[in-house]
């Protein structure tokens, strides 16, 4: 009897984790994430006009980058739910960073025509998700993805690096086929100390999903 009472008390005290898996095992989602890291790492080098430009040499020239634009992280993911707790799948992430650059004289006048630079980063990662709390309308989960990043631009440059995405906590809201998610995480792609493509990127992300 004592063992039975103890078991009943434990069942009452422990929340029901991942107890009601959805009827479908497949999930696809499309989302967008912030570019806080990119806006801090890539920004205009405009220094403003000089206080006494006449004091500078007549052939003075300064190379600057300006007019930055960012797409944000656009990502898509497919997941297959193997069990009430574990789902596996694959995710693709894409972002674009655009700017102009040129040489300016001592009066901060552009010399010649500015060059437009368009940089793209593509990430592909197998992923695994762990769902640790499930209710009819709300689910909490964490996930991990590892893969690679391919960077390229319209100037002929390219780069390659391993990529890791850590989603510390994700909130999924919805009942039935459709719903949405919000995640707190970090996407990293580092080749070495001189080639850091992403570090703590996509801190916040949001998506809509369809499951069946």
């Amino acid at each position: 009897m004592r063992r039975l009472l103890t078991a009943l008390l434990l069942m009452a005290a422990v929340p029901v984790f991942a107890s009601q898996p959805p009827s479908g095992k497949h999930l696809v989602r499309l989302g967008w994430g912030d570019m806080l890291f990119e806006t801090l790492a890539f920004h205009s080098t405009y220094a403003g006009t000089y206080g006494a430009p006449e004091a500078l040499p007549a052939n003075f020239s300064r190379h600057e980058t300006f007019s930055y634009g960012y797409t944000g992280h656009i990502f898509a993911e497919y997941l297959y739910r193997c069990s009430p707790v574990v789902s596996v799948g694959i995710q693709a992430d894409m972002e674009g960073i655009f700017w102009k650059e040129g040489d300016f004289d001592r009066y901060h006048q552009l010399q010649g025509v500015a060059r437009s630079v368009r940089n793209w980063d593509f990430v592909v990662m197998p992923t695994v998700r762990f769902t640790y709390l499930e209710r009819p309308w709300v689910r909490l989960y964490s996930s991990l993805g590892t893969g690679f990043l391919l960077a390229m631009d319209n100037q002929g440059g390219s780069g390659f690096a391993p990529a890791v995405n850590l989603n510390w906590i994700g909130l999924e809201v919805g009942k039935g086929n459709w719903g949405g998610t919000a995640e707190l995480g970090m996407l990293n792609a580092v080749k070495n100390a001189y080639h850091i493509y992403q570090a703590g990127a996509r801190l916040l992300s949001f998506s809509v999903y369809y499951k069946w």
Side-chain angles (χ1 to χ4, degrees):
M1 179 63 70
R2 181 178 299 177
R3 293 181 179 178
L4 177 59
L5 290 175
T6 302
L8 291 174
L9 288 173
L10 288 174
M11 291 175 63
V14 178
V16 181
F17 292 131
S19 60
Q20 297 177 350
S23 57
K25 291 181 175 293
H26 307 274
L27 181 149
V28 292
R29 65 185 184 123
L30 180 65
W32 180 90
D34 74 89
M35 293 186 71
L36 178 60
F37 165 77
E38 288 80 359
T39 56
L40 293 175
F42 301 92
H43 53 82
S44 300
T45 57
Y46 172 65
T49 57
Y50 299 97
E54 296 81 5
L56 296 172
N59 62 346
F60 174 86
S61 179
R62 173 184 167 88
H63 188 80
E64 296 183 7
T65 61
F66 55 97
S67 297
Y68 275 78
Y70 314 88
T71 64
H73 288 266
I74 302 169
F75 64 93
E77 185 176 42
Y78 166 77
L79 287 171
Y80 176 80
R81 195 160 192 182
C82 304
S83 74
V85 176
V86 179
S87 301
V88 296
I90 191 166
Q91 183 179 127
D93 180 283
M94 177 193 74
E95 68 171 348
I97 308 172
F98 318 123
W99 67 88
K100 293 183 179 181
E101 58 183 47
D103 297 318
F104 291 79
D105 63 17
R106 58 182 176 175
Y107 297 103
H108 205 261
Q109 298 297 315
L110 180 64
Q111 299 174 308
V113 179
R115 182 174 63 173
S116 295
V117 179
R118 297 183 177 274
N119 183 83
W120 297 93
D121 292 336
F122 302 93
V123 178
V124 176
M125 300 175 291
T127 59
V128 57
R129 176 191 287 193
F130 304 96
T131 301
Y132 47 84
L133 173 62
E134 182 148 5
R135 294 292 185 268
W137 280 92
V138 176
R139 288 154 293 281
L140 295 178
Y141 62 90
S142 297
S143 59
L144 170 68
T146 59
F148 64 89
L149 172 143
L150 174 63
M152 59 181 63
D153 59 42
N154 62 339
Q155 307 299 316
S158 63
F160 183 87
V164 176
N165 183 47
L166 298 173
N167 170 36
W168 304 113
I169 183 169
L171 171 66
E172 181 181 307
V173 179
K175 188 176 183 181
N177 298 109
W178 292 94
T181 71
E183 296 179 350
L184 175 64
M186 54 187 299
L187 178 58
N188 307 279
V190 180
K191 184 176 181 179
N192 52 47
Y194 304 99
H195 296 85
I196 301 176
Y197 296 96
Q198 296 178 15
R202 213 177 88 183
L203 294 175
L204 290 173
S205 61
F206 307 89
S207 75
V208 293
Y209 71 79
Y210 178 81
K211 62 175 61 175
W212 69 99

